[in-house]
Amino acid sequence: MTSSAGGRSPLAAILLALLFEAPMHPYRMQHLIKERQKDQVANVAQRNSVYQTISRLQRDGLIAVRETTRAENRPERTVYEITDAGREAFLEWMRTTLSTPAREFPMFPAALSNMVLLEPREVARLLEQRADAIEVGLTDHDALAASGALPRMFLIDDEYRFTLIRTEVAWLRGVVRDLRSGALTWSPELLRTFMDHDL
């Protein structure tokens, strides 16, 4: 999927994958995204996210309207299906994404790169809060994985995500320890030294 073809967004990929299974209407797609917990890998926080992405995919020729029906006293319901171009674009996106690392720009590293603008004690407190908040979600995942309710192939994206999350928590705890012990620290005077050196 090129940037013009669905925007290479996780949500676009998930919608195309759902339509790979069968034609369906947006309400069914939203239901399956939540039921399969794909809302953990694609941003569907905004109510219109699915509809906006569907419009973009349709505009790019990756999906098409299969039928529109109206039941009595109900709003019109449009069923979409993936096109041949959509299948090709989706499979190309899958192969590229699975094989080739991409540069991504999340907000957290940007905040870390500027943490010296806060005091070390405050940064330690904030990073500890982040680690605590992240660990809350780990319990739910461990319970689901241990239940055996779903085969591993359906949980592999969660497995990857939670492996990274566990690594992040361990790293955060280490940074907090270093901040509190003074092994990692800074001061306005030290920062001025580096700023003067850059000049």
Side-chain angles (χ1 to χ4, degrees):
M1 280 166 22
T2 63
S3 58
S4 63
R8 290 184 84 106
S9 75
L11 181 54
I14 287 170
L15 295 178
L16 287 175
L18 289 173
L19 293 176
F20 231 85
E21 294 179 25
M24 62 184 76
H25 51 80
Y27 179 79
R28 174 78 176 143
M29 294 181 212
Q30 287 179 315
H31 175 75
L32 288 174
I33 286 169
K34 290 190 177 171
E35 183 180 272
R36 297 177 184 179
Q37 298 185 343
K38 299 305 177 192
D39 54 343
Q40 300 299 308
V41 294
N43 186 1
V44 289
Q46 298 295 323
R47 192 169 182 182
N48 286 331
S49 299
V50 169
Y51 290 95
Q52 289 169 351
T53 305
I54 286 171
S55 294
R56 196 168 67 242
L57 291 170
Q58 185 179 10
R59 188 174 60 243
D60 291 339
L62 303 182
I63 66 173
V65 173
R66 180 172 186 153
E67 64 180 359
T68 302
T69 59
R70 181 188 290 275
E72 190 176 329
N73 297 326
R74 294 204 168 207
E76 201 172 70
R77 182 170 278 187
T78 303
V79 174
Y80 294 90
E81 63 185 355
I82 194 167
T83 63
D84 290 340
R87 279 189 182 82
E88 287 178 28
F90 175 72
L91 292 175
E92 176 196 339
W93 176 84
M94 284 286 294
R95 290 180 178 117
T96 301
T97 304
L98 288 172
S99 65
T100 310
R103 291 182 70 198
E104 297 173 324
F105 301 96
M107 289 296 294
F108 183 55
L112 284 174
S113 71
N114 293 296
M115 70 181 187
V116 296
L117 299 175
L118 302 173
E119 291 187 359
R121 276 184 303 181
E122 183 179 8
V123 173
R125 181 178 56 79
L126 295 171
L127 293 181
E128 188 168 47
Q129 283 178 2
R130 180 183 181 91
D132 290 344
I134 290 171
E135 280 189 329
V136 170
L138 291 173
T139 308
D140 294 339
H141 171 262
D142 290 341
L144 178 62
S147 73
L150 290 172
R152 186 178 178 207
M153 63 183 171
F154 293 120
L155 296 171
I156 200 73
D157 55 328
D158 282 343
E159 183 179 307
Y160 168 76
R161 208 162 39 84
F162 282 97
T163 297
L164 295 181
I165 287 171
R166 283 187 182 87
T167 302
E168 180 180 343
V169 168
W171 180 83
L172 286 168
R173 300 286 187 211
V175 172
V176 169
R177 274 193 308 273
D178 289 345
L179 285 165
R180 291 199 166 133
S181 71
L184 173 63
T185 192
W186 57 88
S187 65
E189 295 75 28
L190 181 62
L191 293 176
R192 272 196 297 275
T193 301
F194 281 98
M195 290 168 67
D196 291 343
H197 179 71
D198 288 343
L199 293 175

